[in-house]
Amino acid sequence: MTGTAQPSKGIRLPRDARRAQLLEAAQHVFVHNGYHAAAMDDIAERAGVSKPVLYQHFPGKLELYLALLETHGNELVRRVRTAIESTADNKLRVRAAIGAFYEFVASEDQAFRLVFESDLRGEPAVEEAVENSLSGCIDAITEAVTADAGLDAARARLLAVGLVGLAQVTARDWLDEQQKIPRDEAVSLIATLAWKGLAGFPLQNP
């Protein structure tokens, strides 16, 4: 998503294209206004469609919000899994996984705010969607740690939770601090911190 929907009122689009357009418009409104202040009228106007058209695709604001959460949650998991699978070197895996979080929060569409800074976290469906995305990242890292570090699944998962938490919290702080440190340097710094601990768990089959 680019973050700027192009109005196309009166133009018939294929269903998938229209849905993507509506999600793009909704993302802009939700990111800038928050869930509670966002209105379906605002989303329809930004998308350049009538409200009936918007409701043809999404029965309500919550369903639209959840669709965005699922889309970006899946994208975060994809980035982390791709990072883990990009190399067999565990040190490089750690850096790549942390880098995936930094890339996600640095995205111009600010999708990370929907996943990590939602003002609707008290809603069970939203909480579940956010937890699913984090669990997907944790699972991807757990699989690698279990296979390579000689740990059982429970211990490997706890290490994965720590790595995901470290990556998420530091990436958001880095962004909040106006990226005073170049991203590659910030990723290397945090990756070094993480690796100093994970390096204590050697490969099961070097």
Side-chain angles (χ1 to χ4, degrees):
M1 294 185 182
T2 62
T4 304
Q6 296 297 323
S8 56
K9 189 173 291 184
I11 300 176
R12 292 185 63 85
L13 294 177
R15 183 171 181 82
D16 288 348
R18 178 67 79 190
R19 178 182 171 87
Q21 179 202 32
L22 296 175
L23 286 172
E24 185 176 354
Q27 179 172 320
H28 178 89
V29 174
F30 284 133
V31 164
H32 288 85
N33 298 352
Y35 177 84
H36 294 293
M40 293 294 269
D41 284 327
D42 297 332
I43 295 169
E45 180 179 355
R46 182 166 184 82
V49 302
S50 64
K51 280 181 69 176
V53 169
L54 181 56
Y55 281 112
Q56 285 174 10
H57 292 264
F58 301 98
K61 186 167 72 167
L62 179 58
E63 289 78 11
L64 182 50
Y65 192 78
L66 289 172
L68 279 170
L69 275 181
E70 181 179 2
T71 296
H72 293 302
N74 289 343
E75 171 61 15
L76 175 59
V77 174
R78 185 197 67 77
R79 287 176 184 243
V80 171
R81 189 168 289 279
T82 298
I84 292 294
E85 295 174 351
S86 66
T87 176
D89 184 301
N90 280 341
K91 185 175 182 179
L92 295 179
R93 279 176 170 171
V94 169
R95 190 188 192 287
I98 291 172
F101 276 87
Y102 277 73
E103 289 174 4
F104 185 68
V105 303
S107 176
E108 291 183 2
D109 63 14
Q110 300 186 63
F112 80 97
R113 297 194 183 280
L114 296 173
V115 179
F116 297 137
E117 299 179 1
S118 172
D119 59 348
L120 198 63
R121 288 295 291 268
E123 167 63 42
V126 171
E127 185 70 26
E128 181 180 2
V130 173
E131 289 302 319
N132 284 343
S133 65
L134 293 178
S135 292
C137 297
I138 291 167
D139 289 345
I141 296 171
T142 298
E143 291 169 14
V145 174
T146 301
D148 293 340
L151 296 175
D152 59 49
R155 289 170 175 79
R157 187 180 188 282
L158 188 58
L159 288 178
V161 169
L163 182 59
V164 167
L166 176 66
Q168 175 194 338
V169 171
T170 60
R172 290 167 62 192
D173 184 75
W174 167 78
L175 191 67
D176 289 342
E177 290 295 314
Q178 287 78 50
Q179 307 174 35
K180 293 176 182 176
I181 303 172
R183 188 172 77 193
D184 284 349
E185 183 180 344
V187 170
S188 294
L189 186 67
I190 300 305
T192 298
L193 172 63
W195 179 246
K196 292 294 185 181
L198 289 173
F201 302 94
L203 284 168
Q204 188 173 21
N205 297 303

